[in-house]
Amino acid sequence: MSETLERWGSKRAFILAVTGAAVGLGNIWRFPYVAGENGGAAFLLIYVAFVLLLGIPVMMAEILIGRAGRRGPMQALGALAAEAGATPHWRWLGLFGALTVFCILSFYSVVSGWSIEFLVASVNGSFNGASAAEIGAGFEAFLANPGLQIFNHSLFLFMTMTVVAAGVAKGLERLNNLLMPLLYGLLLLLAGYASTTDGFGTALAWLFLPSFEALTPSVVVHAMGHAFFTLAVGACALMAYGAYMPEEQSLPRAAVAVAVLDISVALLAGIAIFSVVFAQGMDPADGPGLMFVTLPIAFSELPWGSVWLSVFFLLLLLATWTSAINLAEPMVATLQGLGLRRSISTAIVALSVWLIGLLSALSFSTLAEFRPLLGRNIFELVSSIPPDIFLPLGGLMIAIFAAWVMPRERVVSALGAGENGYIMWRIIIRWVSIPLTFVVLLAGLL
Ligand code: PFF
């Protein structure tokens, strides 16, 4: 397959596209609940450190491979490996990425489906006047309803795959332009409201004052996985977007901008959610339902609550949509690279993700007791192992490829940061990011 000539419309469009991939359930749904289960501030501290030390440098490595290769991930890796005189087996890394996003999209679609249900419920005013206990019980009942779980999962996946079928670059540019500022504004408003509640002080202390007894090896492993997940790094998904990057853009600047935006969205969501958790005397370690229960409670206390809540779920849905499109792209690109038509590739991906996603959709009802591994059901498995293990493993290989295998001049030009920027990046990725990821992964697997 030859090099693509397609480019994002502008530098800003590229940054927005990567932000669209990064900001999603990871920031607003996953961060609060994983932080809740892993001691709050200790987790936050390590996760931010990992974003800086691993996430940003590996993101640059991933995007620069795409930019230098200007093809789908498998083909880009294969072509660049050949150019460097290295083994063509590097292209299997693209396939591993596709497998990772496959697993992730299968549960991502189910949870995004919950946003559809909650959007409809808030438009209907179903949360008006409901108590915290009623909202919690309503969520449990919804999870336990197999028909609704399957319906919403199917609807969300359909929404995603229709955009993917049409080709991503054009449609996404417009959506991202509007979506990110709106989502950010609404989260600011929510965090502002949270500062007036009784739980605000406790929430800040819980999020920002680490207690180091809470710092166990498993917290470190989860924090690393989450750093990769939230930035959308490690699955060759951003590599696919890098292929369309404009020629004259600086990659480090773009990566830092995305990471800052991404962390701040998570922090705003965390402050809003944990203020409600503590004001209502709830348990921060309540698991995947945390956001879906706390935010309806918070909004129901605001004037025009159900309007704000509807807008929030709409924006959340759009944010997960742009991430899901990014998750689907490498799989479709891979199949296309094998010579299939785009429409056929999209249909194959859609059908197989839908089928495997059913296992997650039913993990709260029919299949709740089907626990094939480590005592966990399918939802618990696919929402932890691919983010915590597969993404860092993929990220590690991507980093090794960019830092040790690719010829120097190729990297310098694809990084777009001059000779000094390149040297700094290379020192960090070779001597910090790669060894650190390796050690934490090994500790996690042992
Ligand atoms: N970064 C996305 C989120 O935070 O919701 C999830 C994600 C997208 C992970 C793309 C991995 C990926 F390749």
Side-chain angles (χ1 to χ4, degrees), residues 1 59 87 94 174 201 212 219 235 243 263 298 361 374 410 431:
M1 208 163 88
M59 180 193 271
T87 157
R174 268 186 235 129
F212 286 95
V219 170
I263 292 181
L374 305 167
R410 286 295 253 158
W431 309 112

Side-chain angles (χ1 to χ4, degrees), residues 303-392:
W304 298 81
S306 53
V307 176
W308 291 120
L309 191 62
S310 313
V311 176
F312 171 80
F313 277 116
L314 181 65
L315 295 177
L316 176 66
L317 190 61
L318 295 175
T320 66
W321 198 28
T322 53
S323 298
I325 291 167
N326 178 247
L327 282 162
E329 179 60 19
M331 292 185 274
V332 173
T334 302
L335 289 183
Q336 246 188 318
L338 299 176
L340 295 178
R341 287 222 311 270
R342 185 152 185 108
S343 51
I344 308 273
S345 314
T346 312
I348 295 175
V349 170
L351 195 67
S352 37
V353 171
W354 181 74
L355 274 175
I356 299 298
L358 291 180
L359 299 175
S360 285
L362 297 175
S363 286
F364 303 91
S365 51
T366 327
L367 297 178
E369 288 320 312
F370 176 53
R371 295 176 180 277
L373 198 69
L374 305 167
R376 300 186 206 166
N377 64 32
I378 300 288
F379 180 86
E380 290 160 351
L381 285 171
V382 287
S383 62
S384 63
I385 292 178
D388 287 346
I389 309 289
F390 294 3
L391 287 179

Side-chain angles (χ1 to χ4, degrees), residues 21-27 101 104 108 229-232 235 237 323 326-327 391:
V23 174
L25 287 177
N27 311 65
V101 285
I104 293 179
Y108 207 91
F229 184 85
T230 190
L231 292 178
S323 298
N326 178 247
L327 282 162
L391 287 179

Side-chain angles (χ1 to χ4, degrees), residues 430-441:
R430 281 193 175 177
W431 309 112
V432 181
S433 318
I434 292 175
L436 193 60
T437 309
F438 182 74
V439 169
V440 177
L441 254 181

